[in-house]
Amino acid sequence: MSLVVKNLTKSYGNKVVVDHLNFEMNGPGVYALLGTNGAGKTTSIRMMLGMLAKDEGEVLWNGAPLTIESCNVGYLAEERGLYPKYPLMDQLMYFAKLRSVTGDEAKKRIAYWAERLELEEYLYPGKAAKSEESAPRRRGFGVAKKAKPKLADQLSKGNQQKIQLMAALLSDPELLVLDEPLSGLDPVNSDLFRSIIREEIAKGKYLIMSSHQMETVEEFCTDITIMNRSKAILQGNLNEIKKGYGRVKLHLKVETDITGLIEEQGIGIVNEKEHEYNLSVTGEAQANRLLASLMERQISIITFDLREPSLHEIFVEKAGESNDAV
Amino acid sequence: MRSLWKRQVNQTMLSKLNFKGTGSVFRFTLLQTFKAKANIVSLIFMMIFALVFPPVSAILNGGTRRQAQALEESLEQPAIALPGLTEEQNALLDGQYSSESGSLTAFMDERNAAAAENPETAEEGPGFDERYFLQLAYAIIIIMVSIMSASYIIRSVVEEKSSKLVEYMLISVRPMALLTGKILAVLVYVVTLLLVMLGAYRLSDVLSARFLDVTTSNPMFDMLSRLTGVNPGEVVVIVISAILGILTFAILAGICGAGCSTTEDVNGANTMPMIIIMACYVIALMVSGFDSPGMNIFCSLCPILSVFCAPVQFMLGNIGWPMQLLAWVIQCGVILLLLAITSKVYSDLLIYRGTRLKFGDILKMAFAGKGGSRS
């Protein structure tokens, strides 16, 4: 299976919002679409999934245009919601039916995900009521009050987000598109979502993820596109990109003030706090020279960590360069 | 050019794929519509209103035969005695008025039978009362179902948009299927409501006449009674015309609703369909006053207005089947045109967020070639 995005372009009037976006996924994994606010990520996703008409370009899934019929897509939109006044179970059965998952299979999958996402008490309130049989009966009549089906607006935002993820996964999609999947989640639910994403990756699914949380992207993604002002400004395999930069970030912690020594060697200080420095070096040679100087002066070193730039640093640098060029 | 149009039609409107999933959307929307408390209350209220209306309105209008007879007898003797009238004079007075009560339908039936027996002495065409009140009764039903369906559609589309579900829906079902499913569900609900009302009204009218000896005496309600007891041909004309009308206004409402982003915009979105519906209603009543063949044909064929006028003109015998069929064809053309506009912009409108787009803006969008159907 493969996903090919070719020359995807969209403009509103004279404003180009996506400018000839190209990328490919030739195997399972996670592809990240990153970018500043308004860079064109969500518009690109909408065009890829066929929600929005494209001005130019094509999106191919296994060589054929990607449509509702040609690809089983799961989508967790950035702007997500549920029908606030309809019972949750009715909504999930409806969503499953729209994705051609019907009857018992839909019920089975809903039950699985309800357990996995810890939503049983909301989706099966009757079960929850039964399990509380020891609870006091209704006064006088000895009849337990029948549990009413839960409506979406009775759920917290995090639980609603879990239902939306469940809806995206109900059809067991080949291609899963997650737009800001972890935004608004508490750490516990965030970990739950991460574990589910890991499971989907292990199942060999194709994932496209858009996020502003660079640590999350770095955790899952193999390939990335960074967009700024409608254009792709950096693309490729994340490890290759990082290797291309080399080990140029130095985290140094010592016991005395060495600001003079650092400046003497022409090293840029990104930030410093109480003898702890984040430095930008030109390469390993410069870092080694600094280390030798420290040892020569018999300065106690607590931390000396030379590493490749993080995705966050690459993103900030690239977006900054692109904005300066404009 | 023609092949381009054909291709466009196939790609955007009539392709089967564009309507895949309509059934699921229809069933879900219908189920939730019937389950909604507000809708259940509306249904019950309308039914009770229709059941209570005939006897109450007849009593309020003095329409009980027994009461009328008793009143007549009790007044007759003093009326003779007081002015000192002779028996001959009294008989002369009796000859000048009649206390017989009867429906306009019965009167028309008698007149039609007389006309059939003696065509030379028959009056030319239906009278003003018949034209006006039949038009009024029919127009009230159509305006009611049209306004209800238009506002239900707008509410339903805006609810989906404001709940931010649309993006999820659009990866499962195409926009046209989403709209069509909703329209059909609302159509079924509104028609059910209408049938329940008319059925309850008819039942109540019949039972009132039989057991309470009460009949409606207002000409408009006579016409309502007539509408609930029409012949099969007229039923076909009324049902098809009403469905075409509801479809027209529902598609219009769907487009207007999709231009909204929040539930606060619903009132604004309602304005345009309501103005068109009200304008058609008023014009239909106005033209019913003119008994001119030219006017009858014009109002029967004029797009959208024909929904209000053509069936009445058909029932009055002013137009025949060919003219009625032509009216339907024209109305179907209007519906296809609206569908073409919808298919061009609906997907983009559903995703659009911002200030409410007016119908004019949406038309500009469609004709400027912005938006478009999904591949």
Side-chain angles (χ1 to χ4, degrees):
Chain A
M1 285 192 285
S2 67
L3 173 73
V4 179
V5 175
K6 262 191 216 170
N7 287 324
L8 208 57
T9 304
K10 178 83 184 173
S11 45
Y12 292 110
N14 295 327
K15 187 174 165 57
V16 180
V17 288
V18 178
D19 192 358
H20 295 92
L21 176 69
N22 292 282
F23 70 87
E24 280 183 31
M25 279 182 86
N26 291 313
V30 185
Y31 197 102
L33 269 182
L34 310 173
T36 48
N37 292 328
K41 305 179 297 284
T42 300
T43 306
S44 301
I45 289 174
R46 285 171 177 172
M47 279 193 287
M48 282 163 56
L49 298 182
M51 280 174 227
L52 203 57
K54 9 183 200 297
D55 291 350
E56 214 180 297
E58 57 182 351
V59 181
L60 305 174
W61 177 252
N62 290 331
L66 192 151
T67 60
I68 295 171
E69 293 76 29
S70 70
C71 181
N72 179 0
V73 183
Y75 181 39
L76 183 67
E78 184 189 14
E79 286 201 333
R80 36 194 169 239
L82 295 164
Y83 294 109
K85 297 288 175 198
Y86 298 166
L88 289 167
M89 188 52 97
D90 286 6
Q91 295 193 47
L92 285 168
M93 288 299 286
Y94 172 49
F95 297 151
K97 200 166 192 183
L98 287 178
R99 310 309 309 280
S100 307
V101 184
T102 50
D104 290 343
E105 183 57 31
K107 284 178 188 161
K108 217 165 84 181
R109 289 187 191 182
I110 291 170
Y112 168 77
W113 284 113
E115 193 188 344
R116 185 75 184 79
L117 287 160
E118 297 158 15
L119 288 168
E120 281 175 306
E121 62 177 301
Y122 306 107
L123 289 171
Y124 305 101
K127 261 190 193 175
K130 264 187 191 173
S131 67
E132 289 167 15
E133 287 214 322
S134 56
R137 304 267 166 155
R138 256 180 118 180
R139 256 172 280 158
F141 301 101
V143 180
K145 194 178 177 183
K146 198 184 167 193
K148 277 187 179 173
K150 293 276 181 194
L151 310 180
D153 63 359
Q154 293 172 318
L155 264 60
S156 68
K157 200 183 161 202
N159 282 330
Q160 285 191 31
Q161 203 160 325
K162 286 187 194 174
I163 297 276
Q164 286 141 7
L165 180 67
M166 187 195 279
L169 293 165
L170 272 180
S171 65
D172 192 18
E174 303 163 286
L175 174 64
L176 188 57
V177 181
L178 306 172
D179 200 350
E180 297 290 352
L182 306 180
S183 70
L185 288 176
D186 64 51
V188 175
N189 282 321
S190 179
D191 279 354
L192 183 62
F193 268 48
R194 279 169 208 269
S195 70
I196 288 170
I197 292 170
R198 268 193 288 274
E199 280 171 21
E200 293 302 306
I201 296 168
K203 283 182 199 166
K205 300 287 175 69
Y206 285 64
L207 274 87
I208 293 177
M209 191 188 282
S210 166
S211 179
H212 286 123
Q213 294 171 317
M214 296 299 153
E215 299 78 23
T216 310
V217 174
E218 216 163 350
E219 184 183 345
F220 298 114
C221 298
T222 44
D223 296 277
I224 62 163
T225 286
I226 295 179
M227 294 179 78
N228 191 38
R229 294 172 188 263
S230 78
K231 286 193 171 86
I233 52 170
L234 183 69
Q235 283 188 298
N237 179 276
L238 185 56
N239 283 336
E240 300 288 326
I241 290 170
K242 282 187 168 185
K243 268 185 199 164
Y245 275 85
R247 302 209 288 172
V248 291
K249 297 291 171 187
L250 177 62
H251 178 224
L252 181 63
K253 192 172 180 184
V254 289
E255 286 189 335
T256 53
D257 185 356
I258 57 162
T259 311
L261 178 65
I262 294 169
E263 282 171 353
E264 196 178 284
Q265 299 213 359
I267 297 171
I269 299 173
V270 179
N271 56 55
E272 67 168 294
K273 191 187 83 181
E274 292 176 6
H275 312 151
E276 190 173 354
Y277 303 87
N278 276 314
L279 307 173
S280 193
V281 295
T282 53
E284 286 182 35
Q286 195 178 36
N288 288 341
R289 275 200 299 276
L290 177 64
L291 180 63
S293 304
L294 293 171
M295 291 174 79
E296 197 181 305
R297 288 171 173 76
Q298 293 185 331
I299 296 169
S300 297
I301 300 168
I302 301 165
T303 309
F304 188 92
D305 178 20
L306 183 63
R307 57 173 177 81
E308 290 162 345
S310 66
L311 183 57
H312 178 92
E313 287 159 338
I314 294 172
F315 179 87
V316 171
E317 185 190 316
K318 278 288 164 188
E321 274 175 20
S322 173
N323 287 338
D324 290 345
V326 176
Chain B
M1 187 68 185
R2 189 179 289 174
S3 66
L4 189 74
W5 164 251
K6 260 188 182 174
R7 205 175 60 198
Q8 178 73 8
V9 166
N10 285 338
Q11 280 177 354
T12 59
M13 289 165 52
L14 302 177
S15 163
K16 271 186 185 174
L17 285 177
N18 282 347
F19 295 96
K20 195 184 163 198
T22 302
S24 300
V25 178
F26 165 74
R27 279 186 291 275
F28 178 75
T29 312
L30 187 65
L31 184 71
Q32 298 305 330
T33 306
F34 273 104
K35 272 167 108 176
K37 273 181 195 162
N39 295 341
I40 294 171
V41 169
S42 300
L43 195 72
I44 293 170
F45 176 78
M46 294 287 199
M47 196 171 71
I48 292 172
F49 181 74
L51 280 171
V52 167
F53 198 87
V56 170
S57 71
I59 288 167
L60 290 176
N61 284 302
T64 61
R65 282 188 196 131
R66 280 179 195 152
Q67 284 169 348
Q69 257 174 2
L71 196 67
E72 193 179 328
E73 282 163 13
S74 62
L75 289 175
E76 194 172 28
Q77 291 311 318
I80 296 169
L82 277 174
L85 292 173
T86 62
E87 287 293 322
E88 290 77 19
Q89 286 169 322
N90 187 38
L92 193 64
L93 277 173
D94 271 352
Q96 285 175 335
Y97 77 94
S98 167
S99 63
E100 186 185 347
S101 65
S103 71
L104 193 59
T105 311
F107 167 73
M108 279 163 53
D109 289 345
E110 278 172 28
R111 194 190 62 179
N112 290 343
E117 274 178 21
N118 194 359
E120 285 173 10
T121 58
E123 286 176 36
E124 278 184 21
F128 174 83
D129 281 359
E130 187 187 354
R131 286 197 314 270
Y132 182 78
F133 287 112
L134 187 61
Q135 180 66 72
L136 183 63
Y138 175 74
I140 282 175
I141 292 171
I142 291 297
I143 197 173
M144 211 165 67
V145 292
S146 300
I147 286 178
M148 276 173 71
S149 52
S151 56
Y152 271 117
I153 292 284
I154 289 176
R155 213 173 60 193
S156 175
V157 171
V158 177
E159 183 185 46
E160 208 158 65
K161 269 194 84 173
S162 64
S163 65
K164 298 172 182 172
L165 245 174
V166 156
E167 282 195 47
Y168 176 78
M169 301 300 292
L170 289 179
I171 59 145
S172 312
V173 66
R174 288 171 195 265
M176 289 305 287
L178 206 55
L179 181 63
T180 311
K182 277 185 197 306
I183 288 175
L184 292 178
V186 168
L187 195 110
V188 169
Y189 174 74
V190 170
V191 168
T192 306
L193 203 66
L194 178 69
L195 291 178
V196 165
M197 264 184 74
L198 290 180
Y201 182 88
R202 182 71 177 165
L203 181 74
S204 175
D205 199 30
V206 169
L207 290 178
S208 301
R210 189 171 170 79
F211 296 110
L212 301 175
D213 200 17
V214 169
T215 54
T216 51
S217 56
N218 184 313
M220 196 196 82
F221 297 121
D222 271 357
M223 286 305 157
L224 258 180
S225 296
R226 183 179 169 194
L227 285 176
T228 57
V230 286
N231 67 46
E234 290 174 340
V235 169
V236 171
V237 169
I238 290 172
V239 169
I240 294 179
S241 299
I243 287 174
L244 290 179
I246 295 170
L247 273 179
T248 309
F249 297 124
I251 297 169
L252 211 58
I255 301 175
C256 292
C260 301
S261 299
T262 62
T263 44
E264 285 78 32
D265 293 336
V266 167
N267 285 342
N270 266 316
T271 311
M272 217 279 292
M274 294 311 143
I275 286 175
I276 294 179
I277 294 169
M278 289 303 294
C280 287
Y281 170 78
V282 171
I283 294 170
L285 289 186
M286 281 166 65
V287 297
S288 70
F290 303 98
D291 189 21
S292 113
M295 186 64 86
N296 294 342
I297 290 172
F298 168 77
C299 68
S300 301
L301 296 183
C302 177
I304 305 182
L305 181 62
S306 68
V307 171
F308 282 82
C309 297
V312 174
Q313 296 300 334
F314 181 86
M315 281 188 276
L316 292 171
N318 291 337
I319 61 166
W321 278 106
M323 200 63 78
Q324 179 60 67
L325 288 173
L326 184 59
W328 286 341
V329 169
I330 293 171
Q331 196 55 34
C332 285
V334 172
I335 290 172
L336 284 176
L337 183 70
L338 284 172
L339 276 176
I341 293 170
T342 310
S343 68
K344 269 196 116 184
V345 293
Y346 196 63
S347 182
D348 281 1
L349 284 178
L350 286 181
I351 291 169
Y352 168 80
R353 296 218 165 266
T355 50
R356 183 176 70 84
L357 291 175
K358 291 178 183 161
F359 191 67
D361 302 325
I362 295 168
L363 282 184
K364 271 185 209 160
M365 224 172 127
F367 290 114
K370 270 284 148 204
S373 68
R374 302 184 303 155
S375 59

